[in-house]
Amino acid sequence: MKKEELLVAALENGTVIDHIPSELVFKIVDLLDLQHEKRSVTIGYNLESEKIGRKGIIKVADRFFSDEEISRLSVTAPNVVLNIIRNYEVVEKKTVVIPDELHGIVRCPNPKCISNNEPMASFFHVIDKGERLLKCHYCEKELNV
Amino acid sequence: MHSLVTIADLSKEKLLSLLASAARFEAEPNRKTLDGRVVATLFFEPSTRTRLSFETAANRLGARVIGFSDAATSSSSKGESLKDTIMMVSNYADLIVMRHHLEGAARYASEVSPVPIINAGDGANQHPSQTMLDLYSILKTQGTLEGLDICLVGDLKYGRTVHSLIMAMRHFHPLFHFVAPTELAMPAEYKLYCHEHGIDYTEHTALDEELITGTDILYMTRVQRERFTDLMEYERVKNVYVLRADMLRHTRPNLRILHPLPRVGEIAYDVDNCPQAYYFQQAKNGLFVRQALICDCLEIEG
Ligand SMILES: [Zn+2]
């Protein structure tokens, strides 16, 4: 059995976030607020991957992410896969779906936008999911991510 | 009650009913429909012209007006957030007219404010009452908004008034002629907007008499020196975009010249006396349009 499979297999219930580009591991920890997670979290990076060279993996015991939480990854790491583990088995594989709206995830590139000058969250409408084209709800500037 | 943030939020029916309301205010501007109400004008960025127009509109409706005319005298100079200023003022006023240098400020204010917000300009973004007075001026001088030839001249890159006018006219099958120096040409996103909404347009780099002869509305805008990265280019083109009376000899009888004002030299003073000059009346129309907008946002019969 390979080491990676061991990591997955060791989890009784929870989520394994896989196929993370190594350099984005801690960004994802941040986006999912895992630094405040009370349950056990295992983080691996620079693991061998045929698909993306070197990958990272995050394993969270007894934690299942909502669609809203998963959608926070859609700009930074759209290609990660979330394996839902129950009773040591992968019961579901979730991919990241870009939502219709992004709240507080992307910073508006327009320095004159109100969202960069008030204590408030940014808000983008996703106007083309394929082209990954966003439009700021406030200043109406468009942005490719 | 509702806010007015951008012209893009208004349907064709809404635009037409606001224009009809403005016409009733022109016929009878002094109506005390807002007796006992308070309107706040919060100008975080100074604009005397727009502020006076809104304040006159509120006064002629019988409302009391409170507010400030630039950020230096407001609490935002002490570091207060926009939200806090809006929440404070909404304790006193039934409606807030605001102008702000930051883009999206009015949208944000409308989402946190318990009273309606009218956007009187948010940076380079939107200025819907200007667009409404442009529409009103076009309707009043042409008798219709349908199927007009509209020539937009000058700074079409940064000129938000021309961008908003295109959006507002999308309901009325116009033919636009974009006349601008290459550096200030109509941005691709607005040309795409035209394609998506079935609006036809032509593009030109010179304002020639032939173009003027074939148009119903000549909409002039400022060509400002500071917009140019290449000052040689500015020196080369600045006189090409100056309208003079002798260019108006063979126009259609219904041609009218509009300009959002203030002008900086793109309309020669000898044009002022031509029957086609309409920019001063256009500014006056802003009053009736703003009366209509204030009443509409408060859902009071206008
Ligand atoms: Zn923005």
Side-chain angles (χ1 to χ4, degrees), chain A residues 10-114:
Chain A
L11 196 62
E12 185 178 350
N13 290 296
T15 304
V16 176
I17 308 170
D18 201 358
H19 303 296
I20 307 171
S22 264
E23 68 278 11
L24 294 177
V25 166
F26 291 100
K27 181 88 183 155
I28 288 178
V29 167
D30 201 35
L31 285 167
L32 295 175
D33 198 29
L34 294 175
Q35 58 271 62
H36 298 114
E37 178 61 60
K38 296 283 181 290
R39 288 156 284 202
S40 77
V41 179
T42 311
I43 295 171
Y45 54 98
N46 292 339
L47 308 172
E48 296 289 336
S49 162
E50 283 175 25
K51 248 170 120 182
I52 57 171
R54 290 187 167 250
K55 70 169 182 179
I57 200 162
I58 299 171
K59 195 177 68 154
V60 192
D62 302 314
R63 175 83 190 266
F64 304 95
F65 297 96
S66 68
D67 289 346
E68 188 279 320
E69 288 172 309
I70 296 171
S71 73
R72 289 184 213 158
L73 309 179
S74 59
V75 173
T76 308
N79 299 319
V80 303
V81 175
L82 290 90
N83 297 293
I84 314 302
I85 315 288
R86 291 192 195 275
N87 201 17
Y88 300 105
E89 302 261 341
V90 176
V91 294
E92 192 184 352
K93 281 181 181 285
K94 284 192 173 180
T95 51
V96 178
V97 178
I98 190 161
D100 297 330
E101 294 177 356
L102 294 169
H103 294 267
I105 293 164
V106 187
R107 192 187 160 92
C108 184
N110 175 8
K112 286 185 175 171
C113 178
I114 188 72

Side-chain angles (χ1 to χ4, degrees), chain B residues 57-90:
Chain B
N59 276 304
R60 286 193 183 275
L61 291 166
R64 297 296 190 112
V65 177
I66 60 170
F68 50 80
S69 55
D70 69 88
T73 60
S74 79
S75 49
S76 66
S77 66
K78 296 187 188 120
E80 186 177 55
S81 70
L82 172 62
K83 179 181 177 177
D84 288 6
T85 304
I86 293 291
M87 296 310 281
M88 183 264 293
V89 173
S90 66

Side-chain angles (χ1 to χ4, degrees), chain B residues 127 130-131 134 158-166 219 221 260:
Chain B
H127 190 8
Q130 174 69 47
T131 312
D134 291 344
Y158 300 102
R160 67 176 169 191
T161 56
V162 296
H163 303 154
S164 299
L165 186 59
I166 291 172
Y219 196 104
T221 64

Side-chain angles (χ1 to χ4, degrees), chain A residues 107-116 122-124 135-142, chain B residues 103-104:
Chain A
R107 192 187 160 92
C108 184
N110 175 8
K112 286 185 175 171
C113 178
I114 188 72
S115 69
N116 288 319
S122 70
F123 177 2
F124 283 86
K135 184 175 192 172
C136 177
H137 175 70
Y138 298 104
C139 73
E140 304 180 27
K141 293 275 184 298
E142 293 183 1
Chain B
E103 295 158 27

